Amino acid sequence: MTQNKFSLEFTQNEEIQKIDISGYLDAQTAPVLENAIQEAINKGCNKILVNFKNLKYISSAGLGVFMGFIEQIRKEGGDIKLAEMPNNIFSIFDLLGFPMIFDISETEDKLIEKFNNNEIPGNDL
């Protein structure tokens, strides 16, 4: 099934691990992203920027990957920030209230600036 194509690409920028994701993030491909985030954490990187520009589809399993790591990363003083979501992907995140939990921006630059200023949503909760 060609629909389940998923890929990711890593770029390290100072303290920030950037992960570009593309294709279809579903129950079959979510473990790939899960492993990538876990690998970044294991290497001591707790500032993760995920770029969604080329993502076509996300399922509940894909959404769960982000929820599965956010608490752990924030306890370690880091964050997961999300950039360049296509409208169809953002509407799913928005419907589920993710913008109240995650920094989501149209550009990576805004999020990198927030990382550099140690801005983490929900820190005052």
Side-chain angles (χ1 to χ4, degrees):
M1 184 183 229
T2 56
Q3 236 183 333
N4 284 343
K5 288 214 180 224
F6 176 76
S7 65
L8 45 84
E9 187 177 311
F10 293 98
T11 312
Q12 187 83 26
N13 175 1
E14 295 169 27
E15 297 180 331
I16 302 167
Q17 174 68 65
K18 183 180 151 210
I19 304 172
D20 289 290
I21 58 176
S22 62
Y24 293 77
L25 182 54
D26 57 21
Q28 288 186 325
T29 59
V32 175
L33 179 59
E34 208 169 277
N35 291 338
I37 294 173
Q38 188 62 59
E39 190 176 311
I41 293 168
N42 292 347
K43 289 180 181 175
C45 183
N46 62 6
K47 294 180 178 179
I48 298 173
L49 174 63
V50 182
N51 187 301
F52 286 73
K53 180 173 43 180
N54 296 312
L55 193 70
K56 306 284 184 237
Y57 171 83
I58 190 166
S59 73
S60 58
L63 293 163
V65 172
F66 299 102
M67 291 305 294
F69 286 104
I70 195 64
E71 191 175 339
Q72 173 189 356
I73 283 181
R74 286 191 180 152
K75 280 182 182 172
E76 296 172 10
D79 199 16
I80 299 174
K81 297 186 186 298
L82 314 175
E84 298 188 37
M85 281 185 189
N87 287 336
N88 64 318
I89 303 290
F90 178 77
S91 62
I92 295 166
F93 275 79
D94 191 37
L95 181 69
L96 296 172
F98 275 52
M100 295 173 66
I101 302 166
F102 292 91
D103 270 329
I104 300 173
S105 178
E106 293 178 2
T107 67
E108 289 183 359
D109 292 343
K110 282 183 186 177
L111 297 175
I112 290 169
E113 187 178 318
K114 286 184 172 196
F115 270 130
N116 292 336
N117 295 329
N118 289 317
E119 290 180 35
I120 298 171
N123 260 1
D124 41 333
L125 293 178

